[in-house]
Amino acid sequence: MISITLPDGNIKAFESAVSGRELALSISEGLARNSVAMELDGRLVDLDTPIRQDAAARIVTTRDPEALTVMRHSAAHVMAQAILRLYPEAKLTIGPVVEDGFYYDIDMPPVSEEDFPRIEAEIQKIVKAKLPIRRREVSKAEALDAYQGEPYKLEMIRELQDGTISLYDQGEFTDLCRGPHVPHTGFVKAVKLLKVSGAYWRADPTRAQLQRIYGTAYFDKKELDAYLTFLEEAKRRNHRKIGQALDLFSFHDEAPGMAFFHPKGMVVWNALLEYWRMEHRVAGYVETKTPIILNRALWERSGHWANYRENMYTTTIDETEYAIKPMNCPGGMLLYNRKPHSYRDLPVRAAEIGLVHRHELSGVLSGLFRVRAFHQDDAHIFMRPEQIQQEILGVLRLVERVYGTFGLGFHLELSTRPKKSIGTDAQWELATNGLRSALDAYGRDYKLNEGDGAFYGPKIDIHIKDALGRTWQCGTIQLDMSQPERFNLHYVDADNERKRPIMIHRVIYGSIERFFGILVEHFAGRFPLWLAPVQAIILPMNDELTGYADSVKARFDAAGLRTEVDSRTESLNRKVREAQLAQVPLTLTIGAKEKDGGTVAVRTLDGKVTYGVTHERFVAVVSGAIERRDIGYPGFGE
Ligand SMILES: [Zn+2]
Ligand SMILES: [Zn+2]
């Protein structure tokens, strides 16, 4: 007798070995129809795997999240099969599942997106044929024999242990694979090839250059369509493209991974920082600034020299080694230690917009999202143990105000003590309880990542959600039990004892460069008035009105607005269209009637037009929207 424990705790007994498919059938036919794999004693396996002894089993259906991963790996096999049919000389290497899809690295003549329809048509033939996908366990000798003439597979097989090798067959196609897979190729319903790029075998530039073909697959055509629409939208919002179109920033070969901000980009940058400074002033922060080049002894003391050296740029000055800071913390420690502190001085909330450099491999650099030089909106808060909850709560409220201003939702994650850590149990308990009680007092749900904290303390990570529903980790609040020790920080308590302050590092924007990129994509370049590089463009109806338009601009600019006059001899329609392409929130037209009445006609980017808006009213409405940092455009009607 074999007893199989199901997820609901029920136990099913069988006379002899059963497969997952038979187990599913014994429960219900509907379940069997939608089954794609099985979890057997915690391991994901094929549905056909025989259960030979007592076990815990769960049938994985198309609705379970892991089913998508299993099916996408099968989709990679189906794509490889289609390619071998069309390009018999192609040699397969590896084809893993990645986030949102799969790829396969194949040694073959270069293909382009124009070849995709042909490959996709072949894929569809294989899907329609519903070829059974079957696992075969083979010896190393058999595997080596089966892959004669396949150099990459042979290389992989030689590295495998005999007795652990399996092949998967579907029709005429066989792949060396651990599995699991869906029962037949018909489960790979909605599949689309996405892009192709070059890749080296084993990521080694001295070895063969391969074609890496990416695709994605869903159980449902509607889900695939939704994903493709999302991709289109993400492409339309790509910050590098918009950054170029709106003349915000650029990258140059002379400084890889380090952004150049243009005049218009700097307007947005400065507006972000001006707002940030206002919020921090209100929240009781002071601002500091520390050098970016500091000597080796300091980095040895902070531990960065031992643990972070490979990411740091270094230089020698007067025969002494220096490093360009990858983090602002050690400078912050020196500033804290510049004078003695009494318990009455705490908390100290010292913020710094610090320029840091971290070496990243050139292959991973990605626009403003992954750079080698960036500014952090750092702050170090030094406090007494009993202040932890109140301080963390203060940071959480600040985070909420700041993200709310951009219309960004967010969620929180608490990471606790990892296996490898410094500090005593009592210190960790105090620190973790401090963060936890602040989160509880804050009252929002948070996710708990047990054991995911830094070795020097627990942390709260803040993940924002943009207009496309993508999440980005920007903010973080990290409690640190290491730096106060290393830098021997003190305060004198009410009992006249010298004590160690509790310290946190926190950022809200995170990398300002990256946050800038996220905002460009979040707003699709259509910045709210307070961030827009040019808030209004003034279009005189004819040449004679140009001088007058300039005087209107002067008046608006004196009121603190950012305006431009487009006095080119182009048609009005064309100028309006170009202003809209440049994402200027407000387009103002001035004709003889407007001149006589001291008014403008206002068109907002969302297409609303209001005539006869007096200059006073225009300035008042726009200034109000800027001051409130409204996200939407204001109305100009009475
Ligand atoms: Zn495989
Ligand atoms: Zn820090």
PDB file of all heavy atoms in Angstrom, residues 329 378 380 505, ligand 2:
ATOM      1  N   CYS A 329      28.637  56.723   4.005  1.00  0.00           N
ATOM      2  CA  CYS A 329      28.613  56.468   5.450  1.00  0.00           C
ATOM      3  C   CYS A 329      29.880  56.885   6.198  1.00  0.00           C
ATOM      4  O   CYS A 329      29.779  57.607   7.199  1.00  0.00           O
ATOM      5  CB  CYS A 329      28.316  55.012   5.714  1.00  0.00           C
ATOM      6  SG  CYS A 329      27.169  54.287   4.552  1.00  0.00           S
ATOM      7  N   ASP A 378      21.039  60.295   0.762  1.00  0.00           N
ATOM      8  CA  ASP A 378      21.366  59.575   1.976  1.00  0.00           C
ATOM      9  C   ASP A 378      20.961  60.360   3.211  1.00  0.00           C
ATOM     10  O   ASP A 378      20.881  61.584   3.172  1.00  0.00           O
ATOM     11  CB  ASP A 378      22.895  59.434   2.012  1.00  0.00           C
ATOM     12  CG  ASP A 378      23.308  58.020   2.352  1.00  0.00           C
ATOM     13  OD1 ASP A 378      22.533  57.352   3.049  1.00  0.00           O
ATOM     14  OD2 ASP A 378      24.395  57.628   1.922  1.00  0.00           O
ATOM     15  N   HIS A 380      21.876  59.720   7.617  1.00  0.00           N
ATOM     16  CA  HIS A 380      22.227  58.874   8.746  1.00  0.00           C
ATOM     17  C   HIS A 380      21.534  59.466   9.960  1.00  0.00           C
ATOM     18  O   HIS A 380      21.619  60.665  10.201  1.00  0.00           O
ATOM     19  CB  HIS A 380      23.743  58.832   8.927  1.00  0.00           C
ATOM     20  CG  HIS A 380      24.428  58.163   7.775  1.00  0.00           C
ATOM     21  ND1 HIS A 380      25.307  58.806   6.945  1.00  0.00           N
ATOM     22  CD2 HIS A 380      24.307  56.903   7.295  1.00  0.00           C
ATOM     23  CE1 HIS A 380      25.714  57.964   6.005  1.00  0.00           C
ATOM     24  NE2 HIS A 380      25.122  56.815   6.193  1.00  0.00           N
ATOM     25  N   HIS A 505      20.929  53.992   8.282  1.00  0.00           N
ATOM     26  CA  HIS A 505      21.145  54.591   6.963  1.00  0.00           C
ATOM     27  C   HIS A 505      19.779  54.557   6.298  1.00  0.00           C
ATOM     28  O   HIS A 505      19.079  53.554   6.408  1.00  0.00           O
ATOM     29  CB  HIS A 505      22.050  53.760   6.073  1.00  0.00           C
ATOM     30  CG  HIS A 505      23.274  53.209   6.707  1.00  0.00           C
ATOM     31  ND1 HIS A 505      24.504  53.772   6.516  1.00  0.00           N
ATOM     32  CD2 HIS A 505      23.472  52.133   7.501  1.00  0.00           C
ATOM     33  CE1 HIS A 505      25.415  53.056   7.158  1.00  0.00           C
ATOM     34  NE2 HIS A 505      24.819  52.061   7.767  1.00  0.00           N
TER      35      HIS A 505
HETATM   36 ZN    ZN B   2      25.130  55.079   5.136  1.00  0.00          ZN
END
